[in-house]
Amino acid sequence: MKRTLPRLSALIPYAWLLVFFALPFLLVLRLSLSDSALAIPPYTPRIDWGGGIDGVRAFIDALDFDTYKALVGDSLYFNAYISSLRFALEGTVLALLVGYPMAYGMARCKPGTRSLLLMAVILPFWTSFLIRVYAWVGILKPQGLLNAGLGLLGLPDADLLYTPAAVQIGLVYSYLPFMVLPLYAALEKQDHTLLEAAADLGSPPWKSFWQVTFPLSIPGVIAGCLLCFIPMVGEFVIPDLLGGPGSLMIGRSIWMEFFANRDWPFASAVAIVLLITLVVPIVLYQRQQVKALEAGR
Amino acid sequence: MRRGPSPFNLVSMTVGFAFLYLPILLLVIWSFNASKLVTVWGGFSTKWYGTLFQNDQLMAAAWVTIRVGLISATLATVLGTLAAVALTRHGAFRGRTLFSGMSYAPLVMPEVIMGLSLLLLFVALGIDRGILTVTLAHTTLTMAYVTVVVQSRLATFDRSLEEAAQDLGATPTRAFWQVTLPNILPAVLAGWMLAFTLSLDDLVIASFTSGPGSTTLPMRIYSQVRLGVSPEINAVCTLLIGAVTIGVICWSIGMKWRERTATPA
Amino acid sequence: MSAAKGRPAKAAGKRLNIGAVRSSFAPWNDPAAVPLVRFEGVSKRFGDHTAVNDVSLDIYPGEFFALLGPSGCGKTTLMRMLAGFETPDAGRITLGGEDLAGIPPHRRPVNMMFQSYALFPHLSVEQNVAFGLKQEGMPKAEIAARVVEMLDLVKLKPFARRKPDQLSGGQKQRVALARAIARKPKMLLLDEPLGALDKKLREETQFELMDLQVELGMTFLIVTHDQEEAMVMADRIALMREGEIAQIGRPEEVYETPANRYVAEFLGDVNLFEAKVSAIEHPMARLAAAEATDGFYVLDDDCPPAGSAVSLAVRPEKMRISLDPPPAGTHNVLTGEIWDIGYTGDWTNYIVELPGERLIRVARANASRFVDRPIGWDDKVWVTFDADAGVVLEQ
């Protein structure tokens, strides 16, 4: 009796995740090793279970690395990976630069103000991501609000929409809450007497910040950066809506291969390579998540 | 930290929050603009809302989205809560690392990859794409968020409360229903809210896993947005923002009220 | 220690009553008595750490039994095995003759008062007390009556509808107590029940718990690291050390006749003199020690034969200190200088330096407010004790 509930409680979500999360990745891997064909679903081969061992052997023989060869041979994809990583890296650094002072300021407010500000950071997260990105189209487009503002100030127009800069703005804007929240959590729980102790020991405030506050907030910095960087690399909506043809990102490439070119095996191969690129940061994030969540145990 | 924010802190917070809120605010303003142009104020008007409700395609998509959201959020809450209980309450069990890995990975997994992989699963299983597949996909995506929210509550939950319940004669199952669940309920409800809004919001995974007749609202918005700014979409967005804001405000007032009644007068 | 000695007269009178009743209560000396709980060779390991090592222990019906020891000595693990929250790796636990192995916590006829009280925060005081009764499927009217009875017992009736976080620490403790005894268990387990209370409240509650135990006729097992708590309340104490039982006995037994150095040092203060048995002159024994030029002259109870190395344990309050030399022929005389003085109000502790930089502690009750010649720092003093004051411990 004692063990029935726990077993069941673990088994159901476990089974769900195996079927709907782990199994699909194996399918992607398998498909990436298949030939493309113009049928729907547009790929061969499929295992012919009726053929018994021979059918399976035929299936294995048909697997090949053609899609990966094509992927390596095409500099377009290599460039897309590099530019995705660069966008994500720059976006993460910018989000950190904007987010840290925000989180720091919030942590120093009175408790009542603090929870209000925290709410204000979370609220955009609850509103549609797509809508928030879309709002920037109206601001950045040539006859948009930004140029109207610049015109009033007598400054020349800045045509930002469909440029890499627009993608960068969109990334920082969309992921800022993901950066601020872990930073705030790390800063808020810091004991203010530490700073008093530092001051008492003769440290000026700016030194105390670099010697006490910042080092103690590093777990928050790492969490925030990973939480921004990983999804940024695979981002689709932002480069699609705000970036021009020059803003290559890998998430968009997968989408194009899949929906425009209908080359499912090739899309799968691109996805597998993206996943491999992200394995290290994802594992780092997992570790950090497990540590944070299971600290109370 | 006890000292108040410095002028530098105040400036950075102001800039940061303006950055976060300005675009949303502009959308709301534009939705009431009689002019189609974003830089010209053509007077206050609600005509875009009128045309919105006559747009059957948008209304159908909204209805699909709400149904998918309600069902997937509920499923995800049950599954995510169970996963959180399993992860906090059992020390080591076989396959634990894989389990916890799968539980958190959807939080950071690029949506394009999840969408693609789930589509291949449905094709392989021979399930026709439609509302069912979108619901299953959204459940998988959002249960990770529920797991994290509930698990962080369970981590601070005093284990001896469950032991006390068992000591007083409650079976482990009853102890969970009568003691654990009532105490983690706020986190479970927050998890449901989060799952629901994430489902309402999702474009990428829905695009991969939906079929004819199961086009969701974000997909509809996306296809119109690609054609440029449209006042009608501004109106949809304003309605969505309004609904979420009201929901969140009600929620926080509810929580405040709960706290107040729980503390001595 | 000092608080127990300096108890107010009223409480002391009460204590005498219970003591008079209890003095005849000694089922552990009666070979025909049947124990309620038996631990037989029970062991429990957590990874590499042995929490409980081959413990055997009997607790009799109606007994107030204390498991005493420093944190990490295995006392809580032992109690949790009885409650069913841990499973022994070896050995057997029986309750009323029934083997408890395989019986889950919710089917064991014992109830526990948790260290942090573990009151259900979402339930009111009365709902907390009723929780265990509802699990039994007791009729509603009966539950209501029992809840009222329990709240009366712990004097919390006016607070029935409050939530736990609207109660003070002492009130929470009473709710936890009422909840645990509401099911009338065969045995009540108390895990550090007074740990969260302040000193004054703790003392009052000790006596309330004792009265309650007598009134209910229930068997109590208490886990505590506070020796005073154990001494005041328990009929018997099991002093634990690193998963094993160092000694079991009445409080005065473990205090006055410790079985070994660990027990002597854990309970109260003690001065230990390394000595050698030089002669047995029944009923007395002579010991040779570096500190005493004439040696020690003590009772030969449990004393090993001449030539054995022993420790002589003497409690500070059983020594006398004086500025004047004792009359010639007095046994057990030590001379030294005052090294330090600690005044605690009811007692004064003197640290005396003997020749060879050896420090001992002597306690003197401040029986009067004024003395002719107070003892001061660096005074030369004579320390003496009676032949029956010390205990000879084998090494």
Side-chain angles (χ1 to χ4, degrees), chain A residues 6 14 120 128 240 258 294, chain B residues 21 90 95-96 119 201 222 226:
Chain A
Y14 205 155
S128 173
D240 196 63
F258 192 85
E294 300 185 355
Chain B
Y21 280 92
H90 313 277
R96 190 198 156 89
L119 167 66
D201 191 21
Y222 173 73
R226 279 178 62 85

Side-chain angles (χ1 to χ4, degrees), chain A residues 6 14 16 20 24 108 119-120 126 128-131 134 143 173 187 196 230 240 255 258 285-286 294 297, chain B residues 1-4 19-21 27 39 88 90 95-96 101 117 119 140 197 201 222 226 230 234 237 248:
Chain A
Y14 205 155
W16 182 283
F20 291 103
R108 287 176 62 153
M119 187 82 166
W126 292 89
S128 173
F129 184 75
L130 181 61
I131 292 173
Y134 156 68
Q143 309 84 32
Y173 169 72
L187 287 167
E196 289 176 0
I230 302 169
D240 196 63
W255 181 282
F258 192 85
Y285 170 76
Q286 302 272 20
E294 300 185 355
R297 278 164 30 95
Chain B
M1 273 174 263
R2 197 192 48 185
R3 287 179 306 166
F19 182 52
L20 278 181
Y21 280 92
L27 265 190
T39 44
T88 14
H90 313 277
R96 190 198 156 89
S117 65
L119 167 66
T140 311
T197 47
D201 191 21
Y222 173 73
R226 279 178 62 85
S230 130
N234 290 340
C237 297
V248 171

